[in-house]
Structure formats: structure tokens, C-alpha cells
């Protein structure tokens, strides 16, 4: 049973799951403008517009009730300890693997992405879940640290206990992989989670919580609340111990503002404008393949997707020839054989079309596709070159299958342009000899050298950005610590040889201490 907050008209928590075929509520995103707020909304298949399921629009009272239940569940979950949680998370992992095809179908139904893309994000999420569960004790468990010379009479230990309840707000583009970067790590750290999925993918959120509840049924350790932005805002104000948000920069700022009311700490994972740099000695086939897949897969709706390519002049013609050939072979569609699916969020189609028009008006050249490539709900691959650096296709997140490829004089020029954005999420560098050297000079959170997005599949590596891409990290040791609070403990082992933290200390003690510090630190 899914442990959700239940709306007044829903008789049981399981009724918050999908009622396939229902059209009782508003369509996703249509809450604005109606005088009576909807109590239900439909999630739609973006390929056909058919209703996939109906879900309640949960209000602040229901969100608060879910968080209150989670607070009780959190105590039970924390008391299981690392070993107990590892075992239970292992059971969930195995169930997710067993259900991979059914879960992928839910992802495909709500996002329109090809089934194999849905399977891929599930595979990656499972791998992260395994890593988080396996490593939580090593990273977060109590450990000794050196007490230092001045406190050598103390035993010093450090542990990372959980916050209690963590709120997770997720986007629709990778509705399993992205929120699981927070959910899996928060759970492994010992927190209960209340998850608000995107209004476009509530069914995926429910499917995750339902599989979890199948193997961990004693307490509602992972709950889902559904609705629009207001439901997410209510979660921000609900008094959770921490709020992990993944979504757009604009919403991230609203989330921070709402969380500031209770001084709720936040993790903010926002959008990107990721560059791919092609050096003169790069493997051009591999670089072109990475640019096209990194830019077009999932219809370009990837926070760490390639949006800007900078190729050095000596190899630009050869590289462009390869990019064009590959992009021509890529096809958007709703069938199983399509390379990528529709634009999941209808409003994004206008954003991509607007950036395309703006770039062409300012003198960019279309090498693949053009304005006719936009045929909602699909956008066929578009490759632009000579794109002015101040056009919106370069300065703003596109989130569509539109790739810009600009020539640069050398890698210095490429680095300067790559860094000339308010975002700083990921990047790729193709270079035989200088990949890591170039990577070190990029202002972003993750870099793939001679690859693309590979860092997201390495569970031990932290994932997150700087600037408008947000702050804080999911994945890896940093991702585990993100969902825990450091707790320092000192225990006196024997009386201090020089006792200065008392009103009874004499001047002699202070003289001895200062003399000691002069010896140790003064030279
Ligand atoms: P949005 O910012 O529109 O929404 C993200 C989530 O926030 C949704 O669940 C949304 O609910 C919710 N929300 C909306 N308004 C509020 C509010 N006022 N308070 C609290 N929550 C709110 O992003 P998208 O879903 O469109 O996702 C795409 C964005 O996510 C892109 O910018 C992409 O780059 C970024 N992203 C970043 C990743 C990263 O790890 N850095 C990974 C994946 C995506 P609802 O849908 O119901 O409106």
C-alpha cells in the first residue's frame, strides 16, 4: 500500500494511486486560471494526450500529515541501524530489478521516452541505491578523529546522524534516476522521505513508493504526495529536516525562499547549459557521437545534456561533417524504434522554438533541421552553427534536441566561452592529451573526459553544480553526508595536563599554554 497523505474525497491511501483512464481531474498543469482549485489532476501520455492516471492535489494539511507520519517512521527506520537498513534497502533493490520492465513502462507512459531509455535510468538508480546502502555505515558511522595536541586528553569522535524526515521534490525528465539520487541516499543515511514528484510523473512516484512499501511495510518510510507547485511549496514549509529539490533554477529560488521561513536546509539541483569541448587531437568520431547523443537523447531534456559544443578551428569542418551525418540519422517519435520521444512538458516546445528562431534571426546557420523540425509534441534534431554567443540558444537552458556547435580559435577560447554562463553543472572534453588539464579549468561540478554524462553513472562521485545550477551534492560520500548532520563528541580520557578551561586556572597555566603554542605553532 502506498503511504500517501489522502485527500478528503479519497477513502484510503491506496486510492491516491492511478485510476487509469479516468478524466475526472484537471490535466497536468491546468490548475492555473480556474476559480475552484482542482482536487485531482490527470497525468497524460505526452505522445497521445491520453490519460495515464489520476491523482489527488494534496494541500498543506495533507502534506503536514504525511510529514507527521514520516517523523514516526523515521525513528523506527533510524533504529534499524546501518546493517538493518542495508538489508531492507537490498530487498527494495531486488524488487526494483525484478520489476524493471513494468516500472519502465510507467516511466515511458508518463514521459514518452523510449522503453530502453526508461530501463537505463532504472538500472543507474538501482546501482546508486546499492552503493548508498553499502557505504552508508563507512561514511556516516561514528569514527575516531585525532584530538590534537591541545586536547590530547580527549577522545574525539564524529558521526553523521540523520535529519529525521527529508522532503524530496523532483522533476519529470528522469523521474526515477533524478529523485532517487536524493531518496536512496537520504534513506540509506537513516531518514524517512516524503517525495513530491513532478505533476507530469506522479505515477512514477507512486510506483517507487509502492515497491518500497511491498518490502518495508511496517512504517511509511517513503511516502508520496502529489499535486502542483503549491503541494511542493507546502512540503518546503512542513518542517522537514531537509529539503532536496531538483528542477529549474527559477523554482529552486522559490523553494529556497519557502524553506528559509523555518530555516530548513536545502539541497538545490537545478538546470545546466553544459559545454562539450573538442580539442585538435580529439577522436572526432567519438566526440561527434557524444555530442549528438549527449545533446539529443531524451529529446535533449537532460540537465547534464550537451547544449553547446566548442570545436577548435583546425578540426571543425571534419567534426561538423560527422555531427551532421549522425544527427541526420536520429529520429524523434513515439514508436519503440524511435531514438527519442516527445517533449514531455508541452510548454517547453515554445521555449525551444523561440531559441531556434532567435538564433537564426541573429545569423546562426542550421546544418540539420530548422524551424520545421518543431512538430509538437516532437522536435526533430536541430544542429546550429555560427550561433552568436549572446543568443538565447547559448545563454539559456534549451532542454530540447537543439545542439549549437561553434568554432573557436583554440582551447583557451573554448574554456573562456564554456565558463561564460551563469550555470555550472556538467561538461565534456574530448582531447587525447589535455583532457584532465582542460577539465580542471572548467567552472562546473562534473566533467567527462572523452565521454559524456559518464560521471552520473559512477555512484562514488558526487553530482551537483555551482552558480545557477545550484549547490549541494547527491551521490557518493558527499551525497550521503548531504542527508545527515555532523555530530561531534569529545570524551575526557584523563585530566588535562594544563587546565585552562576553568575559573580556577592560574596565570601559570596560561603561561605554560602560550609557551607550548609558541613552540608548536610559532616557528
Ligand atoms: P520545475 O522547476 O518546473 O519543477 C520541479 C519540481 O518543483 C516539480 O515537482 C514541481 O512541481 C515543483 N514545484 C513547482 N513550483 C514549486 C514551488 N513553488 N515550490 C515547491 N515546489 C515547486 O522543473 P521541471 O520539473 O520542469 O524539471 C526540469 C528542470 O529540472 C530543468 O531545469 C532541469 O535542468 C532540471 N534538472 C536538474 C537536474 C540536476 O540534477 N541538476 C536533474 C534533472 C533536471 P509541479 O511539476 O507539480 O509544478
Amino acid at each position: 500500500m502506498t503511504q500517501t497523505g489522502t485527500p478528503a474525497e479519497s477513502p484510503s491511501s491506496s486510492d491516491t494511486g492511478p485510476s487509469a483512464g479516468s478524466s475526472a481531474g484537471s490535466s497536468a498543469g491546468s490548475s492555473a486560471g480556474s476559480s475552484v482549485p482542482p482536487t485531482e489532476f490527470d497525468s497524460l501520455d505526452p505522445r497521445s494526450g491520453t490519460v495515464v492516471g489520476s491523482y489527488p492535489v494534496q494541500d498543506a494539511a495533507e502534506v503536514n500529515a504525511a510529514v507527521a507520519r514520516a517523523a514516526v517512521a523515521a525513528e523506527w527506520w533510524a533504529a534499524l541501524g546501518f546493517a538493518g537498513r542495508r538489508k531492507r534497502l537490498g530487498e527494495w533493490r531486488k524488487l526494483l530489478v525484478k520489476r524493471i520492465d513494468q516500472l519502465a513502462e510507467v516511466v515511458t507512459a508518463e514521459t514518452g521516452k523510449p522503453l530502453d531509455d526508461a530501463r537505463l535510468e532504472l538500472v543507474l538508480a538501482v546501482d546508486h541505491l546499492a552503493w548508498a546502502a553499502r557505504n552508508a555505515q563507512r561514511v556516516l558511522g561514528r569514527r575516531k578523529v585525532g584530538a590534537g595536541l591541545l586536547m590530547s586528553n580527549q577522545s574525539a569522535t564524529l558521526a553523521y546522524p540523520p535529519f529525521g524526515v527529508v522532503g524530496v521534490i523532483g522533476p519529470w525528465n528522469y523521474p526515477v534516476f533524478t529523485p532517487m539520487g536524493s531518496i536512496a541516499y537520504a534513506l540509506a543515511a537513516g531518514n524517512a522521505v516524503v517525495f513530491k514528484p513532478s505533476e507530469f510523473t506522479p505515477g512514477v512516484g507512486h510506483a517507487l513508493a509502492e515497491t518500497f512499501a511491498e518490502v518495508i511495510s511496517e512504517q511509511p518510510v517513503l511516502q508520496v504526495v502529489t499535486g502542483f507547485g503549491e503541494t511542493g511549496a507546502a512540503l518546503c514549509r512542513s518542517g522537514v529536516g531537509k529539503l532536496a529539490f531538483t528542477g529549474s533554477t527559477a523554482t529552486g529560488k522559490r523553494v529556497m525562499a519557502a524553506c528559509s521561513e523555518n530555516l530548513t536546509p536545502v539541497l538545490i539541483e537545478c538546470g545546466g547549459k553544459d559545454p562539450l569541448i573538442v580539442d585538435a587531437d580529439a577522436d572526432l568520431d567519438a566526440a561527434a557521437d557524444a555530442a549528438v547523443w549527449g545533446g539529443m537523447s531524451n529529446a535533449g531534456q537532460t540537465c547534464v545534456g550537451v547544449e553547446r559544443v566548442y570545436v577548435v578551428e583546425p578540426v571543425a569542418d571534419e567534426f561538423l561533417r560527422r555531427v551532421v551525418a549522425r544527427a541526420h540519422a536520429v529520429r524523434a517519435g513515439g514508436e519503440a524504434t524511435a531514438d527519442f520521444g516527445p517533449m514531455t512538458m508541452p510548454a517547453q516546445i515554445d521555449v525551444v522554438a523561440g531559441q531556434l528562431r532567435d538564433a537564426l534571426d541573429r545569423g546562426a546557420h542550421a546544418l540539420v533541421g530548422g524551424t520545421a523540425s518543431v512538430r509538437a509534441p516532437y522536435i526533430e534534431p536541430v544542429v546550429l552553427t555560427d550561433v552568436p554567443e549572446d543568443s538565447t540558444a547559448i545563454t539559456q537552458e534549451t532542454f530540447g534536441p537543439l545542439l549549437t556547435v561553434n568554432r573557436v580559435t583554440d582551447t583557451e577560447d573554448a574554456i573562456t566561452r564554456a565558463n561564460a554562463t551563469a550555470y555550472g553543472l556538467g561538461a565534456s572534453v574530448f582531447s587525447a592529451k589535455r583532457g584532465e588539464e582542460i577539465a580542471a579549468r572548467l567552472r562546473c561540478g562534473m566533467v567527462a573526459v572523452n565521454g559524456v554524462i559518464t560521471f552520473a553513472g559512477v555512484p562514488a562521485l558526487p553530482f551537483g553544480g555551482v552558480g545557477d545550477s545550484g549547490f549541494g551534492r547527491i551521490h557518493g560520500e558527499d551525497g550521503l553526508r548531504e542527508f545527515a548532520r555532523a555530530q561531534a563528541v569529545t570524551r575526557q580520557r584523563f585530566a588535562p595536563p594544563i587546565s585552562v578551561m576553568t575559573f580556577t586556572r592560574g596565570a601559570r597555566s596560561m603561561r605554560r599554554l602560550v609557551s607550548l603554542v609558541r613552540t608548536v605553532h610559532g616557528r
Side-chain angles (χ1 to χ4, degrees):
M1 185 174 80
T2 308
Q3 309 287 341
T4 58
T6 48
E9 65 278 15
S10 295
S12 79
S13 60
S14 58
D15 290 339
T16 58
S19 53
S22 159
S23 56
S26 66
S27 294
S30 66
S31 64
S34 66
S35 51
V36 182
T39 55
E40 273 198 347
F41 68 105
D42 296 335
S43 85
L44 308 176
D45 185 327
R47 295 167 296 185
S48 58
T50 54
V51 175
V52 177
S54 297
Y55 298 85
V57 177
Q58 292 181 276
D59 63 16
E62 289 158 333
V63 170
N64 291 342
V67 171
R69 286 192 297 274
V72 177
E75 287 188 21
W76 174 81
W77 184 240
L80 289 185
F82 289 110
R85 289 194 297 272
R86 178 178 175 174
K87 181 171 170 292
R88 306 305 294 273
L89 290 174
E91 289 161 11
W92 187 33
R93 167 176 49 79
K94 281 183 232 159
L95 185 60
L96 289 173
V97 172
K98 195 169 149 199
R99 299 271 171 81
I100 208 158
D101 288 336
Q102 293 99 307
L103 291 165
E105 272 167 26
V106 181
V107 172
T108 291
E110 289 194 326
T111 63
K113 68 174 66 177
L115 260 178
D116 273 345
D117 282 0
R119 286 192 187 98
L120 178 59
E121 66 166 301
L122 274 151
V123 164
L124 292 173
V126 161
D127 202 36
H128 276 282
L129 175 60
W131 191 93
R134 200 170 56 243
N135 288 280
Q137 180 156 20
R138 177 181 62 80
V139 177
L140 305 175
R142 189 162 290 283
R143 66 171 193 266
K144 277 191 87 152
V145 298
L149 182 70
L150 299 181
M151 293 290 164
S152 57
N153 67 318
Q154 301 287 327
S155 155
T157 60
L158 167 65
Y160 293 85
F163 285 105
V165 183
V166 166
V168 175
I169 298 177
W172 45 265
N173 57 340
Y174 290 90
V176 173
F177 178 71
T178 296
M180 280 291 279
S182 296
I183 293 170
Y185 288 77
L187 290 171
N191 302 280
V193 171
V194 177
F195 172 37
K196 152 69 178 76
S198 163
E199 68 199 48
F200 294 99
T201 53
V204 177
H206 270 281
L208 287 175
E210 279 159 14
T211 52
F212 186 91
E214 272 187 55
V215 289
I216 297 154
S217 55
E218 296 93 329
Q219 288 282 338
V221 176
L222 172 60
Q223 298 176 77
V224 167
V225 291
T226 54
F228 303 108
E230 294 75 19
T231 307
L235 186 56
C236 296
R237 296 192 169 93
S238 66
V240 289
K242 182 149 188 172
L243 194 292
F245 168 81
T246 308
S248 62
T249 306
T251 309
K253 291 177 183 175
R254 285 197 284 276
V255 162
M256 258 185 102
C259 285
S260 73
E261 292 170 18
N262 292 323
L263 223 56
T264 300
V266 287
L267 160 68
I268 302 282
E269 298 281 355
C270 297
K273 192 69 196 170
D274 289 7
L276 182 149
I277 293 174
V278 186
D279 198 0
D281 63 355
D283 175 338
L284 296 185
D285 279 324
D289 194 57
V292 173
W293 188 80
M296 313 284 179
S297 61
N298 205 33
Q301 303 166 121
T302 304
C303 55
V304 284
V306 176
E307 299 220 345
R308 302 173 292 150
V309 179
Y310 295 113
V311 54
V312 297
E313 187 62 56
V315 294
D317 288 341
E318 268 305 297
F319 174 75
L320 276 167
R321 200 172 56 72
R322 288 165 161 87
V323 167
V324 168
R326 279 175 168 76
H328 268 308
V330 171
R331 214 171 33 76
E335 329 78 66
T337 52
D339 295 300
F340 61 81
M343 300 297 287
T344 304
M345 189 169 69
Q348 196 64 23
I349 296 171
D350 288 343
V351 173
V352 179
Q355 291 189 10
L356 176 56
R357 269 195 312 276
D358 175 63
L360 293 172
D361 288 350
R362 288 160 177 261
H365 296 108
L367 299 178
V368 176
T371 48
S373 304
V374 182
R375 45 176 195 88
Y378 302 98
I379 301 180
E380 294 290 353
V382 177
V383 179
L384 301 179
T385 191
D386 306 325
V387 188
E389 291 288 322
D390 61 353
S391 65
T392 52
I394 297 280
T395 59
Q396 294 174 13
E397 187 178 40
T398 305
F399 234 52
L402 186 170
L403 193 64
T404 67
V405 185
N406 279 349
R407 296 157 187 268
V408 290
T409 48
D410 51 27
T411 50
E412 278 308 307
D413 190 5
I415 292 165
T416 304
R417 295 195 203 201
N419 287 340
T421 168
Y423 290 109
L425 195 54
S428 295
V429 178
F430 278 81
S431 171
K433 293 200 188 73
R434 298 181 52 218
E436 277 158 344
E437 177 195 328
I438 295 167
R441 295 184 54 200
L442 295 174
R443 178 187 164 274
C444 61
M446 295 94 48
V447 186
V449 175
N450 298 332
V452 67
I453 317 182
T454 40
F455 42 74
V458 179
L461 283 177
F463 184 105
V466 297
D468 278 3
S469 295
F471 54 85
R473 294 293 181 266
I474 55 172
H475 302 174
E477 295 187 5
D478 297 85
L480 280 168
R481 279 192 284 268
E482 196 71 44
F483 295 105
R485 60 192 164 83
Q487 192 196 42
V489 175
T490 49
R491 179 178 57 79
Q492 178 156 307
R493 296 188 296 134
F494 52 86
I498 310 173
S499 184
V500 289
M501 292 162 100
T502 166
F503 288 118
T504 60
R505 75 175 180 226
R508 187 161 167 268
S509 292
M510 274 316 291
R511 276 200 304 278
R512 284 177 64 201
L513 183 66
V514 170
S515 158
L516 177 66
V517 165
R518 282 203 177 110
T519 310
V520 176
H521 294 302
R523 298 182 285 178

